[in-house]
Amino acid sequence: LWGGRETVFVLSTDLSHYHSYQEAKRIDGATLARIASLATDLNHEQACGATPLNGLLRVARDKGLSIRLRAACNSGDTAGDRARVVGYSSFALYQAGVARGAIGRQLGQAPAPRLDDPAWLTQPGASFVTLTIDGELRGCIGSLQAQRPLGKDVAANAENAAFRDPRFAPLTLQEWPRVAAEVSLLSTPERAEFGDEIDLLGRLRPGVDGVILEHRGRRGTFLPQVWDSLPDARRFMQELKRKAGLAAGTPLVQCSVWRYQVVKWREADFAD
């Protein structure tokens, strides 16, 4: 029955049965972690529909699908009686993209992703991969110039963001089910011509322009998404100077500035 995007499978099962509220939360919490890791040995005390659930999770693992927890509760949250409850949850399974597939392969949770399908992944491209957990940054690494096929660039940047971002410890298997990935495809940077600092700040387009700042061999960049947390152009550039390792008083007129735009894909766009 496995088809294309027109095919949807829905499998329904309860989780634990007739434990106290707190005991059910403990038991179901462990079960949710097992489902999120695509375990295929769940028993019927953990989920009454364990047999078809194990089958689906095995197919998902074989096909390199990703899984995301959508919600979890029990009947004590919905029906009021917490003495004897039944556990519930919902998960979404979906085809992993290049970024998630590359990280999952390193963690032993997914086969190597296809880097040539669709065909435009074989064309040169520059990308950034941003990882978050519960909305908080967990890693971000990228390329500013297109020097290799886009598929290979995304895969390499995803692995670097997960395991080699110097701001964070390497991503763990326990964190993996909670990670969300966003891929940004960069346009070719264009050098910004400006007369003075006020002129430059007036030319920047919040929410649209990514900015590269360079001075005496030091360089830093902010993606356009950073405008969400730094909407003021002057503050944006001050923080970019800090990221580039420049002194706060470094005049912008002494710096080289480039602008670029991005097309971005969020993992949640495919899982929702």
Side-chain angles (χ1 to χ4, degrees):
L1 297 177
W2 198 271
R5 290 183 175 272
E6 76 283 359
T7 306
V8 174
F9 293 92
V10 178
L11 183 147
S12 177
T13 176
D14 294 331
L15 298 181
S16 65
H17 283 67
Y18 308 139
H19 299 284
S20 68
Y21 181 84
Q22 291 300 332
E23 180 70 1
K25 286 180 67 70
R26 183 188 66 79
I27 294 171
D28 291 343
T31 303
L32 295 178
R34 298 284 289 148
I35 295 172
S37 69
L38 299 179
T40 59
D41 58 354
L42 298 168
N43 63 54
H44 293 87
E45 294 298 317
Q46 296 169 306
C48 58
T51 301
L53 178 57
N54 286 332
L56 179 64
L57 293 175
R58 181 174 294 278
V59 171
R61 182 185 286 272
D62 292 344
K63 290 184 174 293
L65 299 186
S66 292
I67 188 168
R68 179 174 292 278
L69 177 66
R70 306 309 302 164
C73 66
N74 63 48
S75 59
D77 299 304
T78 61
D81 182 3
R82 296 191 171 190
R84 284 161 50 86
V85 303
V86 176
Y88 310 129
S89 69
S90 62
F91 285 86
L93 286 160
Y94 57 99
Q95 188 68 49
V98 171
R100 191 167 187 88
I103 299 170
R105 181 178 66 88
Q106 293 295 321
L107 290 171
Q109 299 298 301
R114 289 284 301 273
L115 303 182
D116 58 356
D117 184 19
W120 50 264
L121 287 174
T122 65
Q123 301 300 313
S127 66
F128 264 74
V129 176
T130 303
L131 305 178
T132 58
I133 293 180
D134 300 330
E136 297 295 326
L137 183 67
R138 186 56 181 82
C140 183
I141 297 289
S143 310
L144 293 173
Q145 300 288 340
Q147 298 179 334
R148 54 189 168 185
L150 179 60
K152 291 184 178 181
D153 193 71
V154 171
N157 288 333
E159 293 177 12
N160 287 334
F163 307 112
R164 288 178 281 277
D165 187 325
R167 298 169 293 180
F168 302 94
L171 189 73
T172 66
L173 184 60
Q174 290 70 34
E175 293 176 299
W176 177 230
R178 300 165 53 210
V179 170
E182 179 178 277
V183 177
S184 299
L185 173 62
L186 279 61
S187 67
T188 302
E190 296 183 354
R191 186 155 185 158
E193 303 294 340
F194 56 96
D196 55 24
E197 181 171 320
I198 294 177
D199 183 30
L200 172 62
L201 296 179
R203 290 174 181 268
L204 295 178
R205 296 173 295 176
V208 176
D209 291 327
V211 180
I212 304 168
L213 182 68
E214 185 173 13
H215 180 64
R216 294 183 179 178
R218 295 181 179 272
R219 184 171 69 170
T221 189
F222 275 158
L223 296 171
Q225 295 91 308
V226 177
W227 288 104
D228 293 341
S229 57
L230 293 171
D232 177 74
R234 189 177 302 278
R235 174 80 185 284
F236 183 95
M237 294 304 294
Q238 279 295 119
E239 292 300 318
L240 183 52
K241 281 195 285 187
R242 184 198 304 273
K243 182 180 180 183
L246 303 178
T250 303
L252 287 174
V253 292
Q254 296 180 7
C255 301
S256 297
V257 179
W258 289 265
R259 296 187 296 179
Y260 59 87
Q261 292 77 53
V262 305
V263 177
K264 63 181 181 180
W265 294 269
R266 298 180 307 125
E267 190 173 34
D269 293 337
F270 302 98
D272 288 341

